[in-house]
Amino acid sequence: MTALASRSGRSTPGDTRRRLVVIGNGMAGARAVEEILARGGAVQHRITMFGDEPYGNYNRIMLSHVLSGEEDAGGIFLNSLDWYRENDITLHAGVRVDKIDRFAKLVFSDDGRATPYDVLIIATGSRSFMPPVEGLYTPGGRLLPGVFAFRTIDDTRGMVSYAQQDHRRRAVVIGGGLLGLEAARGLQSHGVDVDVVHSGRHLMNAQMGPDGGAVLRRSVEALGIRVHTSSRTTAILGGDRVRGVQLRDAPDIECDMVVVAAGIRPNVEVAVTSGLPVERAILVDDHMRVPDEDEIYAVGECVQHRGEVYGLVAPLWEQAAVLADHVTGANPKATYLGSRTATKLKVAGVDVASMGLQAPERDTDEHVVFSEPSRGVFKSIVIRDSKIVGATLLGDSRKVAYLTQAFDRGLPLPEERVSLLFDLGGPDEEAGVAELDGDAQVCNCNGVSKQAIADTVRGGCTTLSGVMDATRAGKGCGSCKLLVRQVVEWAADGAVEEDPAAAYYVPGVPLDKAALMAAIREQGLRSVSAVFAALAPGGAEDSKSKMGLASLLKMMWAGEYIDERDARFVNDRVHANIQRDGTFSVVPQMKGGVTSPEQLRRIADVADKYNIPMVKLTGGQRIDLLGVPKEDLPKVWADLDMPSGYAYGKSFRTVKTCVGQEFCRFGTGDSTKLGIEIESRFQGIESPAKLKLAVSGCPRNCAESLVKDVGVVAVDGGRWEIYVGGAAGAHIRKGDLLATVDDPETVKLLAGRFMQYYRERANWLERTYSFVPRVGIEHLRAVIVDDAEGLGAQLDAAMQESVDAYVDPWAERNDPFTPGQFRTSLPLEVLPQVPVR
Amino acid sequence: MSAELFNDRQAGGLHILGPVDQIPVGEGRAYGVAGEQVAVFRLRDGSLRAVSAVCPHKGGPIADGTIDRTVVMCPLHQHAFELETGCSTTGAGPLRSYPVFADESQNIIVRLP
Ligand SMILES: Cc1cc2nc3c(=O)[nH]c(=O)nc-3n(C[C@H](O)[C@H](O)[C@H](O)COP(=O)(O)OP(=O)(O)OC[C@H]3O[C@@H](n4cnc5c(N)ncnc54)[C@H](O)[C@@H]3O)c2cc1C
Ligand code: SF4
Ligand code: FES
């Protein structure tokens, strides 16, 4: 014991809790830990998790949405890194476990660590199966450039950025199951032309029979996806990168990328190397324990239970609950007896549900089928002894809830079988929902029951979006949204309110942006309080709306705006960026990223004088002084004696530049000079969301201009390209080419005109990467470059007015705008302290 | 200050925090009162509200929050709390709320239990 404890290196003396180690930080591993915590397990266990992906835990199901661009990769995290910290869980992210020593009770990881455990959970999941196809790998053993698996965030990000390169026009997806179809649909949204090559005779053959598969094929082909069934890929062509695929018995298909979605294989290497029993996957008993190992459990896709290996999340949830009951001792009698898998999914935009048998197996089985291929509807139900033993539904999921329940519980069926498929005469949909039990799970991703939704509605929440926010139902894969809506409608007795607020510019004023601006102008409303008084219901202020209104009014009225400081977010009240410990970070202006020894010296002196805990270079080529207490801000600014660099607001921030013509061998334009001019002109301009710009001196793009809100690139012949709507954050998007112009003056004019148009039309917090695709680059080109709507002069004048109204906010250092503007708001010692390096 | 009022203040745990106009309309300021951290807000209608100054979520500075007539929103992660009761409307733990008013000479008076 002493030997083990000393090897762990981090055990605190007196901590007598059992050491619980989890290998695998995916959906099952994290869920098991959540279930353990929910049973008070933190008191008994000190938890350590290993995950070889360098992230916290995320919702893998949502990767399809990330691929299609409906969701940011940042939006799919189930547990942020904070969650681990809050729950005192040690997470080794990006670390792989290679071996378990069952006798010494240690796990060995690839960072050279040996971690002792008292209880071990293996949740290593699966990986994509790579079929033996020639040319899949480079001689170095890596996947050929252009070939992707579809399993992780990194896979998905890789696909998105590859697909977004302009010359990648065609993709082949290998595998016509659920994942392959999702991948195909996702790639289409990046303008890529897709073929699906499937070795089975029909699509999704694991979930449905040939008739359903044929109907699905029609629906998929109607989306413009070409389908090749009974067709095997024999080689990937290209050599240095993907140029096509070779099929058995069919002509080659030319393409630029290949996505392999040909099934999954459980990750069992650790278990095999460590001598645990493995067949198709790691064996477990009804307690989720590995046979003959009292302290080793396994859960998730890496597990084989009573001969079954599951590839969907619902069974994992059930397994995790049983496992937690045993690990914590909450219910030593809990048993997992297997799951009846009912799949309810939206595959490539088509509703698909399948459960149990695909087709009758015995002579006495009844088979009820309805098929309407032209509408993409297919329904098939297999009945044995008056119980449902299988069903497939395509394109119409209204009866799914009822059928799933009947299948799960073996409910007796109506005499008239056809009413299983259709709602005859009755008040249709709702009847199905009304029949559901309260504890029936409506949202599988987040485990929300019908009862929970009904209670929320009865508690007064009667909009779909309100219920979704309150319960998180429908916020996973989204396949249950229709059902959630139905339950809400049923519970609200038809009194569901549409959520009109979705179209409002800010939640507290019931107007969209255009109507709001018109009303503000008409009534001459110059302050946020005046807007609330005139336009909000009951004249009520709304804290959530203040910042958006302040920004809008400042844009509309420039110098005539009446500045009420309480309408601003604290960042804009003190002109610095609030950090997690309540201190602020200060970024002095450095136009175009250019500085001088004199400035650097001053910054260094200030950092010394105020004990700045961290000095850091930002991604936008500026210097950030982090950890400044609020009360020090005025002194710090005074000593810096530089203007504000706008690192905090929803505003124009920086222009990143490369060295360009002045120094670079390749530069064809003076990017630094133009960057400085742009930054001088537009400094501090408010906008609906932050604006980051860049200027590069040649198409090598060292300033990364293609992924900026506005990016400028010098091209040969003294000309300049202007890109808009790029992003390289949580969302990645290459900007669209707005115009190619002859001189820097025109760059400044058009960039300003674009920004003004964006300021006037974009929704609050809508970044240009959403705005540009929403309004369309052709439209923007027409308005901004060709002045097709005659708005040019007006936009230019409005921008000029904002430019002229510029005042450096740091000037407030000598003359605070409000009493106590820089007075501290908290006793700093209670906050989590930011580490000092 | 009359003796009567003074006694009353002592008995009820009343504390004088100084002139109301230290707090700009619509904003909050933090005060250390008898070892507790209190955020006092001055609403646009001139009335005062007082709640604990440290966010129960992750210690955010409540006095730096954005308010309306009913709630204050913590600047760190936007949890909202009712100014009257301190109860969170977004599922965080509650803030403590304190009785607060301005006396006849426009001083802020807060009562601690
Ligand atoms: C694109 C996509 C869409 C999907 N859609 C759906 C859907 O709509 N509905 C549905 O029910 N299911 C869906 N699934 C399946 C679902 O995601 C899986 O069933 C689920 O994620 C399995 O959970 P798990 O924890 O067992 O495995 P995983 O989530 O894969 O987690 C295992 C983790 O362990 C890590 N790991 C493996 N070995 C080691 C090691 N030795 N050391 C450290 N870490 C290790 C892995 O890298 C991984 O992060 C989808 C899957 C994908 C890929
Ligand atoms: S973008 Fe072109 S000009 Fe600028 S530094 Fe790079 S190579 Fe040189
Ligand atoms: S610290 Fe206040 S909301 Fe998080």
Side-chain angles (χ1 to χ4, degrees), chain A residues 86 543 546 630 819 823 831, chain B residues 29-30 58-59 64 67-68:
Chain A
E86 274 160 33
S543 56
K546 283 184 163 183
K630 200 205 256 179
R823 184 165 124 184
L831 281 160
Chain B
R29 293 288 179 258
K58 292 202 178 166
D64 277 342
I67 63 164
D68 52 32

Side-chain angles (χ1 to χ4, degrees), chain A residues 14 47 85 96 138 143 156 166 195 205 244 259 351 410 434 463-464 491 544 553 589 596 612 748 793 799:
Chain A
I47 305 175
R85 229 171 280 132
R96 210 183 141 68
T138 61
L143 281 178
T156 313
D166 282 344
D195 288 66
N205 49 332
V259 176
D351 283 315
T463 63
L464 178 64
K544 287 205 285 301
L553 290 173
Q589 188 175 58
S596 65
I612 304 286
K748 282 182 273 178
M799 182 49 100

Side-chain angles (χ1 to χ4, degrees), chain A residues 653-671:
Chain A
R653 295 207 168 175
T654 49
V655 185
K656 183 171 179 172
T657 62
C658 72
V659 296
Q661 196 186 40
E662 273 191 295
F663 284 93
C664 179
R665 282 178 296 145
F666 304 107
T668 60
D670 194 343
S671 48

